[in-house]
Amino acid sequence: MKCMIVLFALGAIAMALPDDQPEPLPFHYSHTSDVDGSYTYTYSAEDSSKTETRNADGSIVGGYQYIDTDGILQKIQYQAGEDGVQILASNLPVGSTEPVQDTPEVVQATEEHFHEVQRALHLIAKAAALEAAYKSKHPELA
């Protein structure tokens, strides 16, 4: 009887599974490596791909691309070696050639700071003059 219940339960589970399984997405992967530490690997799928090569000297060159959430193809290329890491990417912001303008708050704070520095320099000069005058009246303390 227990065997019949188990078979019945398995049959019910099998009937509940959908008949049409989705087609697997196309995917390709390859990898090669050498004893000197160099390697190359690539993969490609329906919405992304990547390739990277490491040379025997340790430098790395590669790139990848993918479709972002807005449906835009983004491409990134990179290299790393003695000169550091360089990246070229379609999704990085492009800098402005315009100089940065100070906000009114920054202008005010800069002016206040300048005045405080001038005041401090004046007090230092006054203290130095007082010290020199005191030492000239009391050479035994100099």
Side-chain angles (χ1 to χ4, degrees):
M1 178 69 176
K2 289 181 185 178
C3 182
M4 286 295 278
I5 293 174
V6 170
L7 288 175
F8 178 75
L10 289 175
I13 292 171
M15 289 177 61
L17 293 175
D19 289 335
D20 16 311
Q21 295 294 322
E23 289 289 321
L25 296 175
F27 184 80
H28 170 76
Y29 175 81
S30 70
H31 179 269
T32 59
S33 59
D34 203 341
V35 294
D36 63 5
S38 62
Y39 64 80
T40 297
Y41 76 88
T42 63
Y43 89 82
S44 61
E46 185 174 318
D47 60 353
S48 66
S49 64
K50 179 175 181 174
T51 183
E52 181 174 288
T53 299
R54 180 181 191 269
N55 300 309
D57 66 359
S59 62
I60 296 175
V61 177
Y64 59 97
Q65 62 184 23
Y66 64 94
I67 298 173
D68 69 11
T69 55
D70 295 324
I72 299 170
L73 178 66
Q74 301 293 346
K75 296 181 179 183
I76 294 85
Q77 296 175 325
Y78 57 89
Q79 62 183 26
E82 288 182 8
D83 297 329
V85 177
Q86 290 89 37
I87 299 173
L88 179 63
S90 59
N91 59 352
L92 290 178
V94 177
S96 171
T97 57
E98 297 290 320
V100 176
Q101 298 296 316
D102 290 340
T103 64
E105 295 85 3
V106 170
V107 170
Q108 180 182 353
T110 302
E111 289 173 359
E112 289 172 3
H113 177 73
F114 175 77
H115 292 300
E116 288 299 316
V117 168
Q118 293 302 314
R119 185 172 158 272
L121 290 174
H122 174 72
L123 291 173
I124 291 170
K126 191 174 181 181
L130 287 172
E131 180 183 20
Y134 184 79
K135 285 181 180 179
S136 70
K137 289 184 181 179
H138 304 284
E140 68 279 2
L141 299 175

